[in-house]
């Protein structure tokens, strides 16, 4: 029986079933049928792809961080009211070499790859100076570029996959096409298929900056759109050799929004420490406690950076929810973590696999999550010092000009509950991406453990929750009904792990209006492995 209630009521998890989310999972040799309860909506035709970590140790060597697990792709196919399921590891260099050598070969987010013990000290010494070997472990997202699909992480490598067979086709280095050191796993995709993304780069005067990259849609001559990638605008970096960690960005009809947080990558440490003594990505993060948060905007077409200074209190931020323009303002909704500490410090596998009391104890020390709305005025005048520049009637967010010419932004809090995060947000993106909207959907994290699906009305702050005991969903994906009138006419798709159930995992379909259950497609226990549902993003087509 599903429960619908406000965030204040929640389940505890003393049995620790969530640990199954962080166990190695075997891939399948063939597609298997799912057992359907309820009725699959007739408009669900095609496939749901989902990515996440699926291999958490190689031989006797464990991976240590949630984002180190090797990429496993899941696929649910919908046809004639029936559902089938398949999964396969992406054959990245990181995965293939690890399986071949039975050890961690390429350094991951929180796991350092030690040199081959069979090599002598001199060969190991020279190996250190061959440069940083960046991982291609594409466990975060999958999205289309032209007529192709790519599995991605946050480095410069993206991996082309066959969405029918889940075969790995080729590895692509984005550095070969544009001035970029890496790109995020959360691009914006326009209706015609144009892809926009952001990543840090080497800018003017050998200082770091952030480039917005545009990849055009499918070409008439069938050539690869990646060949025509180009930088459309550049944002400056607050610190010359310490770029901020960037996980996503905002885009409206006419503007890009980049939020520069105080969580920094120490580039000099990355290059020197990695090469000489060995470290992982996590070792290279630090916080600039004095920076606060900087909000940058740029015109989209033609790309032009707007040199206005917008500042706010320090936050960590991974996911934008949406951004839109209204009456001379840009409204920016995002999932924030208060303060300057890096939230990934709390996502070590040892923390997540602990007993429930220890999980809660560790999460109590972490930054607190909030859903926030910031409003950026496009028309700023120095004579308006000390005055709230925001005149939109529906928000309490403010923007105040300071004497130094900067504008201080105070947010409106759309949702807040202690240690309960509204994260991995989704909206009705096809119709309301970059536009004034009402509803957001998300995965609810209870002390970092995913145990609910949430809906938020960003205008009234009303909330809805789906939750069942000992059940751990992945972030929801909104699919609009073909004849939709209202913004929330559609369904949410999520994968739920239920470790104690007869069938330990299922695809769940919820009515996006009220989060009531429409149908579920359960997957049998196969090869003594659990279906991984803690996937970081997904694609439906």
């Amino acid at each position: 029986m599903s429960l619908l209630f406000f965030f204040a009521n929640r389940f505890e998890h003393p049995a620790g079933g969530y640990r199954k989310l962080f166990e190695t999972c075997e891939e399948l040799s063939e597609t298997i049928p799912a057992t359907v309860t309820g009725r699959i909506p007739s408009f669900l035709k095609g496939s749901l792809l989902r990515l996440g970590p699926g291999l958490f140790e190689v031989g006797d060597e464990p991976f240590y961080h949630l984002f180190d697990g090797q990429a496993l792709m899941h696929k649910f196919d919908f046809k004639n009211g029936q559902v089938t399921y398949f999964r396969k590891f992406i054959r990245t260099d990181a995965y293939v070499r690890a399986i071949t050598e039975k050890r961690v070969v390429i350094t991951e987010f929180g796991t350092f790859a030690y040199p081959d013990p069979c090599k002598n000290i001199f060969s190991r010494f020279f190996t250190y100076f061959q440069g940083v070997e960046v991982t291609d472990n594409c466990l975060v997202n999958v999205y289309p570029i032209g007529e192709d699909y790519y599995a991605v992480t946050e480095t410069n490598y993206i991996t082309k996959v066959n969405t029918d067979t889940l075969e790995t086709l080729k590895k692509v280095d984005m550095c070969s096409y544009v001035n970029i050191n890496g790109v995020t796993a959360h691009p914006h995709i326009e209706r015609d298929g144009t892809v926009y993304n952001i990543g840090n780069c080497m800018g003017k005067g050998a200082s770091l900056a952030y480039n917005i990259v545009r990849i055009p849609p499918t070409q008439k001559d069938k050539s690869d759109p990646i060949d025509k990638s180009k930088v459309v605008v550049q944002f400056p970096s607050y610190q010359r050799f310490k770029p901020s960690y960037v996980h996503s960005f905002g885009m409206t009809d006419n503007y890009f929004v980049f939020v520069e947080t105080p969580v920094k990558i120490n580039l000099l440490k990355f290059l020197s420490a990695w090469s000489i003594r060995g470290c992982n990505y996590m070792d290279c993060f630090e916080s600039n406690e004095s920076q606060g948060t900087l909000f940058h905007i740029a015109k989209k077409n033609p790309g032009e950076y707007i040199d206005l200074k917008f500042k706010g209190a320090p936050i960590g931020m991974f996911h934008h929810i949406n951004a839109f323009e209204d009456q001379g303002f840009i409204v920016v909704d995002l999932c924030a973590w208060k303060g300057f500490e890096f939230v990934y410090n709390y996502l070590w596998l040892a923390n997540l696999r602990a007993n429930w009391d220890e999980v809660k104890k560790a999460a109590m020390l972490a930054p607190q999550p909030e859903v926030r709305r910031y409003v950026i005025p496009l028309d700023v005048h120095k004579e308006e010092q000390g005055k709230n520049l925001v005149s939109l009637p529906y928000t309490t967010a403010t923007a105040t000009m300071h004497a130094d010419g900067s504008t201080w932004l105070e947010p409106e809090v759309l949702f807040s509950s202690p240690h309960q995060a509204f994260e991995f947000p989704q909206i009705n993106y096809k119709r309301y991406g970059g536009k004034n909207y009402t509803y957001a959907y998300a995965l609810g994290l209870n002390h970092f453990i995913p145990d609910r699906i949430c809906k938020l009305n960003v205008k009234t702050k009303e909330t809805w929750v789906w939750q069942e005991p000992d059940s751990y969903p992945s972030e929801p994906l909104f699919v609009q009904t073909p004849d939709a009138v209202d913004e929330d006419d559609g369904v949410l798709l999520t994968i739920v792990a239920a470790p104690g159930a007869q069938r330990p995992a299922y695809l769940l379909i919820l009515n996006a209006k009220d989060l009531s259950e429409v149908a579920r497609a359960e997957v049998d226990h196969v090869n003594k492995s659990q279906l991984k549902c803690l996937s970081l993003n997904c694609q439906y087509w």
Side-chain angles (χ1 to χ4, degrees), residues 29-311:
S29 59
E30 59 184 13
T31 298
I32 61 174
T35 301
V36 175
T37 304
R39 185 175 180 180
I40 304 295
S42 60
F43 62 87
L44 286 181
K45 300 174 182 178
S47 301
L48 170 70
L49 291 181
R50 192 170 284 279
L51 268 170
L55 180 71
F56 290 99
E57 64 281 318
V58 183
D60 295 329
E61 296 186 11
F63 291 106
Y64 294 105
H65 198 274
L66 175 61
F67 299 145
D68 297 343
Q70 297 300 290
L72 181 66
M73 181 171 282
H74 308 269
K75 182 166 78 109
F76 286 89
D77 286 316
F78 301 88
K79 186 176 182 180
N80 299 325
Q82 299 300 311
V83 180
T84 58
Y85 169 69
F86 186 56
R87 64 174 176 250
K88 193 176 186 69
F89 282 103
I90 305 294
R91 264 54 178 179
T92 61
D93 286 349
Y95 174 81
V96 171
R97 290 174 60 186
I99 294 299
T100 301
E101 300 187 32
K102 295 182 174 57
R103 66 184 185 89
V104 179
V105 179
I106 298 178
T107 293
E108 299 292 350
F109 205 78
T111 304
F112 174 66
Y114 289 95
D116 186 343
C118 296
K119 292 184 179 180
N120 63 41
I121 189 170
F122 296 105
S123 64
R124 279 185 272 160
F125 177 81
F126 288 112
T127 298
Y128 282 138
F129 288 92
Q130 291 176 359
V132 175
E133 188 170 25
V134 177
T135 183
D136 61 345
N137 181 23
C138 49
L139 79 162
V140 184
N141 196 4
V142 54
Y143 61 82
I145 297 177
E147 295 180 349
D148 301 315
Y149 279 81
Y150 289 83
V152 301
T153 180
E154 297 186 316
T155 68
N156 49 299
Y157 295 118
I158 62 177
T159 303
K160 185 177 176 181
V161 294
N162 182 320
T163 54
D164 292 326
T165 65
L166 303 191
E167 295 293 327
T168 302
L169 299 178
K170 70 174 181 177
K171 173 179 174 179
V172 175
D173 183 356
M174 290 303 297
C175 290
S176 301
Y177 300 91
V178 285
N179 178 21
I180 210 83
N181 297 326
V183 291
T184 78
H186 296 288
H188 283 281
I189 304 176
E190 297 189 314
R191 292 184 179 181
D192 67 353
T194 300
V195 176
Y196 288 97
N197 211 335
I198 189 172
N200 60 59
C201 66
M202 191 60 70
K204 296 179 180 179
S207 62
L208 284 165
Y210 311 88
N211 280 343
I212 295 282
V213 174
R214 178 184 184 273
I215 304 176
T218 302
Q219 303 294 290
K220 292 181 179 179
D221 61 3
K222 301 299 180 181
S223 61
D224 190 344
I226 295 177
D227 290 335
K228 297 179 173 60
S229 303
K230 68 175 183 178
V231 174
V232 294
V233 70
Q234 186 171 97
F235 295 102
S237 176
Y238 179 79
Q239 288 182 276
R240 185 170 183 178
F241 294 116
K242 294 180 180 179
S244 289
Y245 175 69
V246 184
H247 192 78
S248 66
F249 65 105
M251 189 175 81
T252 71
D253 286 342
N254 299 294
Y255 295 91
F256 299 112
V257 180
F258 165 50
V259 180
E260 190 175 15
T261 73
V263 176
K264 300 292 182 178
I265 304 170
N266 187 324
L267 187 62
L268 295 180
K269 184 176 181 181
F270 178 86
L271 295 174
S272 61
W274 197 311
S275 298
I276 297 172
R277 66 171 174 80
C279 68
N280 55 55
Y281 292 86
M282 283 293 292
D283 293 329
C284 300
F285 287 102
E286 60 185 50
S287 293
N288 183 332
E289 300 178 16
S290 63
Q291 174 191 304
T293 302
L294 308 178
F295 296 79
H296 301 270
I297 56 175
K299 291 182 179 178
K300 186 175 170 185
N301 189 21
E304 178 186 349
Y305 178 65
I306 299 175
D307 193 13
L308 294 173
K309 294 180 175 59
F310 300 101
K311 299 180 179 181

Side-chain angles (χ1 to χ4, degrees), residues 62 78 195 293 417 424 447 480 485:
F78 301 88
V195 176
T293 302
S417 183
F424 303 96
H447 298 80
Q480 180 179 277
V485 175

